[in-house]
Amino acid sequence: MRLIYAFLAVRMLRLARFDLFRHELLMADADAALARSRQRVRIAEALAARADLPSRAALR
């Protein structure tokens, strides 16, 4: 019985390690997506300013 528990414990530790690694990858992807989104907002605001459109604050 102890052998089964030991096997299950090792498997659970491997799964936990995999989940942590996956979490780190997803966080890195989310950070990159947020940075891209912020850059797009800056570009859109610059284009709006060049077109003499009101600021985003005035549109709310």
Side-chain angles (χ1 to χ4, degrees), residues 38-57 60:
R38 287 180 176 157
Q39 181 62 27
R40 286 185 182 125
V41 168
R42 284 191 289 272
I43 291 171
E45 286 174 343
L47 290 171
R50 288 179 74 180
D52 290 330
L53 295 176
S55 69
R56 285 183 15 198
R60 291 181 184 168

Side-chain angles (χ1 to χ4, degrees), residues 25-39:
L25 288 178
L26 290 173
M27 289 296 293
D29 288 344
D31 289 342
L34 186 59
R36 283 192 307 270
S37 176
R38 287 180 176 157
Q39 181 62 27

Side-chain angles (χ1 to χ4, degrees), residues 8-22:
L8 289 174
V10 169
R11 295 298 297 164
M12 291 302 290
L13 287 172
R14 290 184 70 191
L15 285 173
R17 247 186 16 215
F18 174 74
D19 283 342
L20 286 172
F21 176 72
R22 187 169 156 254

